[in-house]
Amino acid sequence: MIYLDYSATTPVALEVQDTMNKVTREFIGNANSLNGLGIKSRNLLNSATKQIANCFNILESEITYTSSSTESNNLAIIGCALAYFKKGKHIIVSKLEHPSIYVICDYLKSIGFEISYVKNDSDGLIDFDDLKNLVREDTILVSISAVNSEIGIRQPLKMIRQIIKKENMGTVFHSDMTQAIGKVSVNMHDVDLASVSGQKIFGPKGIGFLYKSSMVKVTPLLYGSTKESLNPGTPPLPLIAALSKAVRLANENIEKKERFVTLLNNKITNTLGKYPNILFNKTKYSIPHILNISIMDVMPEVMVHALANHEIYVSSNTACSSGEVSNAVLAIYNDLNRAKHTIRISLSHVTTTEEINKFLEVFRNEYEKLSKLH
C-alpha cells in the first residue's frame, strides 16, 4: 500500500498508540472525581496539558480539548459570535477555508450575522488592502486558515493580525491551524483562537483542541456539571495523553522533515510536468506537503479509483468535500473546469522515495491509458 492522503488523516504513530493503550489500562479513574484514582488521572491530565502548552508556549488554561478541528471551529466561531454579538454581528472569512467554516458561517447568517469574504491575490495570499477595508467597527471576528487544505497555501498570520488589530483592536482573530501543525512552524501568539486536530499529526481520531487566548471571551456551546469548562464532561484521558505525545513528536525536527518533503514534491512535479494536460495548482506560498493537480483530460474520481486498484491512495480535493468543485482552485485561478478536475496528493515525512517512484510509475501507466479514452 502507498498512502498519499496524509492531509485527510494520518495513521496513529506506534509511540502514540502505546501511550493511549497504557493510559487506558492504568488510569481508569474519572479525572473529575475526588477519589485516589480520580486524582491520579487528574495529575496525568494536567501533565499532558502542560506538555502541549510548553510545545506552543501558551498557558495550560488556554487549552480546551475537543473531538476534532470541526468542533474547535464551531466553538471558536459560534462561541465568539455569542460572546460579542452586542458589539457587532460582522464576521470576515477567506475564500480558502475548510468546508466546516462555511457551514458554520451559513448558520450564523441564518440567525442575523453578516459574513464578508476577503479576496485573495493570484498567489493565494489574503489581499491586505481588501482586508483593511472590510474590517469595521462592528467586526467581531476574522477567521483565516494558517494553511489551506487543498492547495497548501500558507498565510502570513502575524501580518494579518497586525492589519486586523490596527483597524479594530477589539476584533478577534481565529485560525484553523489543522493543516499547519506538524508540517510548518507556527506561533499561537499570532492569533487569538486556533483549531488543532490530533488525527492530522499521527494522533488518534476523536481528539483535538482549541487554543483560546486568555484575553478573549468565548461562550460555551455545551453545558454540564463542570461549569467553568468551555467543553464540559469527563475528559477522554487516553486520547488527551496520546494527543500530547503526538504534538511533541510533530514538533521535533520540523524544518528537517519539511526539507525532505520538499524533495519528494519536486520529484513529482518534475516528472508530471512533462504532460501538457496536467496543471499544478500551487503558488510560491504552497507548503510542500500538499500537491494539488488538475488532470484536464481525465475525471478526478476515475484517476483516484484507478490508483486505488493498485493500492495507491490519493484524494480529490479535501476529504470533507470529495467530488465537489475545488473552492481554493476556483478562488485562485477562476477556472471552473480546472477546479472540477483536481486531485490532491498529500505527502509526509514518513513517505519514502521508493513509494514516490512506484506512484509515478503507476500514475504514468494509468494516465496514458485513461487520457486516450478522453
Side-chain angles (χ1 to χ4, degrees):
M1 179 187 84
I2 297 175
Y3 187 71
L4 299 174
D5 200 18
Y6 288 97
S7 291
T9 192
T10 55
V12 179
L14 290 176
E15 306 98 309
V16 174
Q17 180 88 52
D18 289 343
T19 296
M20 190 161 59
N21 290 343
K22 183 179 180 185
V23 174
T24 301
R25 287 193 309 270
E26 298 179 14
F27 292 79
I28 62 171
N30 184 329
N32 292 332
S33 295
L34 295 177
N35 60 37
L37 291 175
I39 292 167
K40 181 183 174 186
S41 291
R42 172 57 63 176
N43 289 339
L44 179 63
L45 173 64
N46 291 341
S47 174
T49 304
K50 185 175 183 179
Q51 287 169 346
I52 294 174
N54 288 342
C55 283
F56 294 111
N57 192 27
I58 57 179
L59 303 175
E60 294 156 59
S61 58
E62 295 178 323
I63 294 171
T64 297
Y65 293 109
T66 63
S67 64
S68 62
S69 280
T70 295
E71 186 183 341
S72 295
N73 287 341
N74 274 268
L75 181 55
I77 298 173
I78 300 175
C80 190
L82 295 176
Y84 292 101
F85 74 92
K86 289 181 181 176
K87 286 187 175 182
K89 291 192 171 184
H90 183 230
I91 294 169
I92 300 169
V93 298
S94 86
K95 296 179 180 179
L96 299 167
E97 297 302 309
H98 184 269
S100 67
I101 299 288
Y102 299 123
V103 177
I104 295 166
C105 288
D106 286 345
Y107 164 69
L108 288 174
K109 270 195 284 190
S110 75
I111 59 170
F113 286 84
E114 180 189 351
I115 312 295
S116 295
Y117 299 89
V118 62
K119 296 173 186 171
N120 51 266
D121 65 19
S122 58
D123 282 321
L125 285 197
I126 294 304
D127 183 322
F128 299 144
D129 289 333
D130 190 45
L131 177 61
K132 183 180 175 183
N133 292 332
L134 284 175
V135 177
R136 313 184 311 220
E137 191 179 332
D138 63 337
T139 304
I140 55 172
L141 176 70
V142 176
S143 182
I144 294 171
S145 61
V147 170
N148 167 261
S149 61
E150 293 179 63
I151 305 180
I153 290 164
R154 185 182 185 185
Q155 299 291 344
L157 298 181
K158 186 175 183 179
M159 195 176 298
I160 291 169
R161 177 189 178 86
Q162 288 171 347
I163 292 168
I164 294 166
K165 299 297 182 180
K166 187 179 179 186
E167 297 303 313
N168 185 341
M169 271 302 294
T171 299
V172 176
F173 182 28
H174 166 256
S175 181
D176 183 344
M177 289 193 178
T178 308
Q179 296 294 347
I181 305 295
K183 294 172 182 164
V184 293
S185 56
V186 299
N187 184 350
M188 290 287 181
H189 298 287
D190 290 341
V191 299
D192 300 309
L193 298 163
S195 302
V196 179
S197 171
Q199 60 143 335
K200 310 289 189 183
I201 54 170
F202 299 87
K205 294 171 180 60
I207 188 69
F209 73 87
L210 174 69
Y211 159 69
K212 183 191 79 67
S213 163
S214 56
M215 308 299 290
V216 169
K217 288 190 296 185
V218 168
T219 298
L221 305 185
L222 299 173
Y223 293 87
S225 55
T226 45
K227 295 183 180 67
E228 76 286 353
S229 175
L230 266 181
N231 202 0
T234 302
L237 188 58
L239 292 175
I240 290 170
L243 175 65
S244 177
K245 182 77 169 180
V247 165
R248 280 176 283 146
L249 291 173
N251 282 335
E252 287 178 0
N253 302 315
I254 201 161
E255 287 85 7
K256 183 181 177 185
K257 289 187 276 195
E258 187 181 357
R259 285 195 297 271
F260 175 67
V261 173
T262 300
L263 294 175
L264 299 180
N265 185 301
N266 290 342
K267 189 174 183 64
I268 297 172
T269 53
N270 290 338
T271 303
L272 299 187
K274 66 182 182 181
Y275 296 109
N277 284 323
I278 294 181
L279 308 177
F280 296 106
N281 303 314
K282 61 189 283 190
T283 80
K284 60 187 176 184
Y285 299 108
S286 296
I287 67 169
H289 307 71
I290 298 173
L291 178 57
N292 191 300
I293 62 174
S294 288
I295 309 175
M296 302 304 287
D297 48 357
V298 178
M299 289 305 292
E301 59 270 22
V302 174
M303 180 57 82
V304 168
H305 292 312
L307 292 171
N309 289 335
H310 297 271
E311 294 191 321
I312 298 174
Y313 300 101
V314 298
S315 66
S316 56
N317 51 67
T318 71
C320 299
S321 61
S322 291
E324 297 179 13
V325 170
S326 168
N327 283 327
V329 173
L330 193 59
I332 291 173
Y333 298 100
N334 198 27
D335 182 336
L336 185 59
N337 199 34
R338 182 170 185 159
K340 283 180 176 176
H341 283 81
T342 62
I343 282 179
R344 184 183 67 179
I345 302 157
S346 43
L347 308 166
S348 163
H349 64 281
V350 302
T351 307
T352 66
T353 306
E354 292 73 25
E355 286 176 331
I356 296 304
N357 289 337
K358 180 66 177 173
F359 159 71
L360 289 170
E361 179 192 335
V362 171
F363 184 96
R364 183 180 66 245
N365 292 337
E366 290 296 335
Y367 174 66
E368 289 177 357
K369 187 167 59 181
L370 291 168
S371 59
K372 286 174 184 171
L373 301 174
H374 180 63

